[in-house]
Amino acid sequence: MNAIQVKNLHKSYGDKAAVKGIHFSVKKNAFFALLGPNGAGKSTTIEILSTLLEKNQGDIAINGYTLGQDDAAIRQTLGVVFQYSVLDPSLTVLENLKLRAAFYHLNGEALEERLAFLDQLIHFSPFQDQRFQTLSGGQKRKADIARALLHNPEILILDEPTTGLDPKSRKEIWQLILQLKSISKMTVFLTTHYMEEVLDADHVIILHEGRIRAEDSAERLRIKYANDTLKIVPKNDLESQLKQANIPYQKHNTTLHLPIETSFQGIDLVQQFKDQIETFEIVKANMDDVFLNITGERLEAE
């Protein structure tokens, strides 16, 4: 059974269509990523899955429960880290966590054991007595993740969890997410516009303007939609020889960029023209190249 099954999902805000008939499934225990720019429909999809927003059309099942009929059961099976925190800024981290735990009837010794377990993973105790509004961005995100994990959910949804964080905090939060995935059997559902955050995902969907444009593993998407590049600094008239051999290239200042299908093809070209090459490197295609080739746009990080 899939953890999440979405069929023909539509959502509009007035005349503006945000999600336009998307279909996807998320396997149990998988690391699933929804990649796209702001306005692609990622957060709308998350809010629908989380029972916070009504869909216009479509069928959704989460852990065997039907959205719209079994919403209370769905909320029990989900832990959600929203793009913007839902914790009370005037309360301390510990006060926030205990307040949220009460919603799940978690208290007493069971709560203390759960908080101790989460602290081993997330390390929030150094700032647990600080008011939430005084925390750094990275500390706030750790508290948000602790809140989402209080009731030991089967599915963890992370809506752009590192947006707005400094590079150090982003790295710490990302390491935490990977650690959570490695030691638990949770299904992790991530939305992001950061290319590097989908590289560890089992399955990636590229969402653009409310539609799914491509889906597969990150590596298969890279192979299918982007070429590696052989970058050459020539020392003789290499351009004329490339033209004679009908080998495509682009010139960037003093460097020639040759698209290649494999690293072995790049090595063969280097051997073929080694007398005309001063230096070279083979650059692997990345997810930014994939997104550009699929949508015609760069996916700019905020």
Side-chain angles (χ1 to χ4, degrees):
M1 183 174 67
N2 289 318
I4 300 174
Q5 183 74 52
V6 175
K7 296 180 180 178
N8 196 33
L9 177 61
H10 290 260
K11 178 60 183 178
S12 297
Y13 299 96
D15 295 332
K16 181 178 175 57
V19 179
K20 305 172 184 177
I22 64 175
H23 305 256
F24 65 85
S25 59
V26 181
K27 293 181 179 179
K28 276 187 174 292
N29 307 330
F31 182 7
F32 177 93
L34 201 58
L35 175 68
N38 290 333
K42 304 189 304 299
S43 292
T44 295
T45 301
I46 292 297
E47 290 182 8
I48 292 171
L49 294 178
S50 304
T51 75
L52 298 178
L53 187 64
E54 289 189 6
K55 55 185 169 54
N56 295 130
Q57 184 180 340
D59 298 305
I60 297 175
I62 298 176
N63 267 354
Y65 299 113
T66 300
L67 187 75
Q69 297 178 14
D70 309 312
D71 289 2
I74 287 174
R75 286 190 286 270
Q76 285 292 325
T77 202
L78 295 180
V80 186
V81 178
F82 295 102
Q83 190 171 350
Y84 302 102
S85 180
V86 295
L87 293 181
D88 189 322
S90 64
L91 297 180
T92 68
V93 171
L94 193 57
E95 288 169 341
N96 265 297
L97 293 178
K98 289 183 175 182
L99 177 63
R100 295 286 166 168
F103 297 160
Y104 301 103
H105 307 290
L106 185 61
N107 51 48
E109 186 176 341
L111 173 58
E112 295 305 319
E113 289 179 359
R114 186 62 182 168
L115 289 173
F117 173 77
L118 292 176
D119 185 43
Q120 289 181 343
L121 292 175
I122 302 172
H123 307 298
F124 60 79
S125 57
F127 53 86
Q128 68 178 16
D129 295 320
Q130 289 181 233
R131 296 191 187 280
F132 186 78
Q133 62 191 0
T134 69
L135 302 180
S136 68
Q139 290 172 332
K140 287 179 178 178
R141 264 295 173 250
K142 287 183 177 181
D144 289 331
I145 294 171
R147 175 202 57 78
L149 296 175
L150 272 172
H151 60 299
N152 197 20
E154 295 182 54
I155 301 172
L156 178 63
I157 295 179
L158 302 152
D159 189 13
E160 303 207 22
T162 64
T163 295
L165 299 184
D166 62 85
K168 181 176 181 293
S169 296
R170 281 188 61 204
K171 183 177 180 180
E172 289 178 353
I173 294 301
W174 192 245
Q175 288 174 340
L176 171 59
I177 291 168
L178 294 179
Q179 182 185 10
L180 287 170
K181 183 67 184 74
S182 68
I183 67 175
S184 72
K185 294 184 178 180
M186 283 191 306
T187 303
V188 176
F189 185 117
L190 169 77
T191 78
T192 184
H193 59 248
Y194 290 116
M195 296 293 178
E196 67 271 22
E197 292 185 347
V198 305
L199 298 180
D200 294 300
D202 302 311
H203 196 82
V204 180
I205 280 181
I206 293 179
L207 192 65
H208 187 246
E209 296 179 346
R211 300 184 189 278
I212 293 175
R213 299 304 176 94
E215 61 177 303
D216 212 324
S217 69
E219 180 62 14
R220 288 175 180 167
L221 288 171
R222 189 189 65 77
I223 292 171
K224 184 174 182 180
Y225 291 103
N227 289 111
D228 296 342
T229 302
L230 172 62
K231 294 184 177 182
I232 295 174
V233 176
K235 63 180 180 181
N236 293 316
D237 189 15
L238 178 58
E239 286 188 71
S240 61
Q241 294 191 41
L242 292 174
K243 290 176 181 177
Q244 289 176 7
N246 201 29
I247 296 173
Y249 71 92
Q250 290 182 337
K251 188 171 184 179
H252 297 263
N253 296 322
T254 60
T255 305
L256 305 182
H257 291 196
L258 286 65
I260 53 176
E261 294 184 1
T262 67
S263 297
F264 294 108
Q265 182 187 8
I267 292 170
D268 290 341
L269 288 168
V270 170
Q271 288 293 332
Q272 182 178 349
F273 299 105
K274 63 182 179 181
D275 293 336
Q276 283 75 42
I277 295 174
E278 182 174 324
T279 186
F280 73 93
E281 68 173 328
I282 294 174
V283 180
K284 303 291 286 184
N286 57 37
M287 289 301 293
D288 193 40
D289 300 317
V290 171
F291 191 85
L292 175 63
N293 291 336
I294 291 173
T295 68
E297 299 178 10
R298 289 278 178 194
L299 185 52
E300 299 292 344
E302 289 182 336

